[in-house]
Structure formats: C-alpha cells, structure tokens
C-alpha cells in the first residue's frame, strides 16, 4: 500500500510571475473583502490578539479576548490586571501560562519604552516579549498598512504546494512572496492567502474542486483531487499532506 505522505516536491514547478499575478487576482476576486478574523479594537488589542494566536485558532483567541479586552483594553489596565488574572482569561488557548506572562510583560514595556503606544517599527516590535517576526509582520500590515507578509503554517503550505513561493523555511517563503507578488497586491495578499489556506487549500485534503485559482496552481495532485470531488475519498495511491 502506498504511503499517504506528501511528495517531497508537491508543486510541479515554481509559478511564473504571470501565474503568480493570476493566482492572487483570482483569490482576490473570490474574496475581495478579506481581512483578519481576529477581534480587536485598536493597535494594542491587535498586538495582543496576534501574540495570543500562536499555536491557537482565531476562534479560540476571540473567545478568550472578549472578556480580557473588556477588563484590560489598554497596556496599563493589562499590567494592573496581572499575570494570574490574564491567565484566567486565556487558559482555554494553547501555551496560556507563557502567553499571560508575555502579554503583561509586553504591556509593561509599552508603558516604559513607548509611552503606552504600539511602535511603528519592526525591530521595536520584535524586541517585545512574545513578539516574533510573524506577529510583527501582521501588526505592520494590519495596523500600519505596510506591505508585509506574515508566513504562518497556511501560507508556508500554500507557497510550497502551489509553486507560488517555494522555500524550505518560513523566512525563505516570505522573501519569495515579497519578491514575486506584485507590489500593488502584496498587502492584501496576506489575508487572501491565509483564508485560502484555512478554508480551501487545507493541510490534509485541499479542496481543489472548488479552488478559485485552480488554473495557475502547480500542485501535482490538483487534477486528481478535482476529479475526486468532495463526496469521495481519494484513491490510496494519492499522497495527501498531514496537518
């Protein structure tokens, strides 16, 4: 029996630049108003929500932050709430103890170093506890309108699976995406790609039969998956990817 592991090179080849533009254009046409699914009210609550979303779903983060942001909508209020009470609000999401500590610590640093404001500076953002490159990229994109590309598991998968931006590491995929996606499409492409990976180009079984960007995609298995459709299991010989 053939293993269900994914091929080492899931894409036939890298997309051409013309195919990249077509791919992003078709995603945009299918979801023109794509935006973050995290709930937030300002730059600070966005930063906290994104920091909490690591290894957690947006749905679980939104459930946790509804009461958290009611009780602590500002850095000062978060520090006053304290690590124990922050933890009580977010204990339903992964790594909640570490995240509670980081949220209080980053709030304290915002007060001490940035007058309580979220800095519009990548290096400054990445210097905050619990804030890495991906989180900084999301904040720079959503809060400040920069054309950044935050590579999460969905975008990393899409970059390699479709041939959009092949790369062995998230940073390599990010660099490829920034270089290959047309500048006028780069900022919103972050949302189009995440949502496409979350709801269509899924890890275990990409739903190629309803993909709006089927033609430019270079995924090796796309024709087989489109033929199978939603109601049947693929043949055993079809190598699918695990989540």
């Amino acid at each position: 029996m053939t293993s269900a592991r994914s091929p080492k090179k899931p894409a036939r080849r890298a997309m051409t630049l013309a195919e990249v533009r077509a791919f992003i254009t078709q995603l945009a046409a299918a979801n023109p108003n794509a935006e973050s699914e995290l709930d937030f009210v300002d730059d600070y609550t966005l930063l906290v929500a994104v920091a909490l979303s690591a290894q957690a779903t947006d749905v679980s983060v939104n459930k946790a932050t509804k009461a958290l942001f009611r009780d602590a909508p500002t850095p000062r209020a978060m520090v006053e709430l304290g690590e124990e009470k922050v933890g009580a609000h977010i204990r339903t999401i992964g790594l909640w103890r570490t995240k509670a500590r980081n949220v209080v610590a980053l709030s304290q640093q915002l007060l001490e170093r940035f007058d309580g404001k979220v800095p519009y500076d990548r290096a400054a953002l990445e210097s905050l506890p619990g804030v890495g490159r991906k989180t900084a990229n999301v904040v720079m994109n959503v809060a400040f309108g920069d054309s950044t590309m935050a590579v999460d598991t969905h975008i990393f998968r899409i970059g390699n699976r479709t041939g959009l931006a092949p790369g062995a590491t998230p940073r390599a995929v990010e660099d490829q995406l920034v270089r290959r996606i047309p500048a006028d499409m780069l900022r919103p492409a972050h949302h189009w790609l995440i949502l496409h990976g979350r709801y269509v180009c899924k890890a275990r079984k990409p739903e190629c039969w309803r993909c709006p960007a089927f033609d430019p995609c270079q995924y090796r298995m796309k024709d087989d998956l489109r033929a199978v459709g939603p109601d049947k299991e693929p043949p055993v010989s079809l190598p699918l990817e695990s989540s």
Side-chain angles (χ1 to χ4, degrees):
M1 181 179 293
T2 303
S3 169
R5 295 178 182 274
S6 61
K8 290 183 179 180
K9 293 183 178 180
R12 298 186 184 102
R13 57 172 174 78
M15 289 186 199
T16 66
L17 295 184
E19 288 168 336
V20 169
R21 177 176 280 278
F23 186 85
I24 299 299
T25 298
Q26 289 162 17
L27 293 186
N31 194 5
N33 300 313
E35 58 185 17
S36 174
E37 293 188 316
L38 289 170
D39 293 338
F40 62 95
V41 295
D42 56 18
D43 297 351
Y44 172 67
T45 52
L46 170 67
L47 173 62
V48 172
V50 178
L52 293 177
S53 70
Q55 299 184 44
T57 66
D58 287 1
V59 171
S60 68
V61 172
N62 290 340
K63 288 180 180 178
T65 57
K66 184 176 182 179
L68 176 65
F69 292 157
R70 180 196 63 209
D71 292 350
T74 66
R76 189 168 302 281
M78 194 71 73
V79 171
E80 291 174 353
L81 190 62
E83 186 177 327
E84 183 176 347
K85 291 182 179 179
V86 171
H89 278 295
I90 67 170
R91 65 173 64 244
T92 55
I93 64 176
L95 305 175
W96 64 270
R97 290 185 178 85
T98 299
K99 290 176 180 179
R101 183 168 60 252
N102 285 338
V103 164
V104 173
L106 75 81
S107 300
Q108 183 68 51
Q109 290 198 20
L110 289 177
L111 292 170
E112 294 174 353
R113 299 168 54 200
F114 304 108
D115 195 29
K117 297 180 175 60
V118 176
Y120 179 18
D121 180 86
R122 180 192 298 281
L125 284 168
E126 291 188 41
S127 73
L128 296 170
V131 178
R133 185 175 183 86
K134 184 183 75 172
T135 296
N137 274 337
V138 174
V139 173
M140 296 286 285
N141 183 293
V142 176
F144 302 118
D146 276 17
S147 295
T148 56
M149 181 58 66
V151 177
D152 67 352
T153 57
H154 297 300
I155 293 182
F156 183 78
R157 178 175 68 251
I158 289 174
N160 282 285
R161 174 187 281 167
T162 68
L164 180 67
T169 65
R171 181 59 188 272
V173 170
E174 177 188 335
D175 290 345
Q176 283 273 66
L177 289 168
V178 170
R179 183 177 66 83
R180 290 166 61 79
I181 294 176
D184 61 312
M185 308 174 82
L186 184 56
R187 182 185 179 232
H190 165 249
H191 299 299
W192 292 324
L193 291 171
I194 286 178
L195 295 178
H196 186 60
R198 187 173 292 166
Y199 297 114
V200 179
C201 197
K202 300 175 182 179
R204 175 61 185 163
K205 184 181 179 182
E207 298 181 0
C208 299
W209 57 88
R210 66 183 189 94
C211 176
F214 182 86
D215 289 338
C217 175
Q218 296 301 313
Y219 183 39
R220 291 178 184 276
M221 301 296 121
K222 70 174 188 175
D223 294 314
D224 293 318
L225 284 166
R226 171 167 278 195
V228 168
D231 300 323
K232 299 178 183 178
E233 285 299 313
V236 173
S237 60
L238 180 59
L240 296 177
E241 295 172 79
S242 59
S243 56

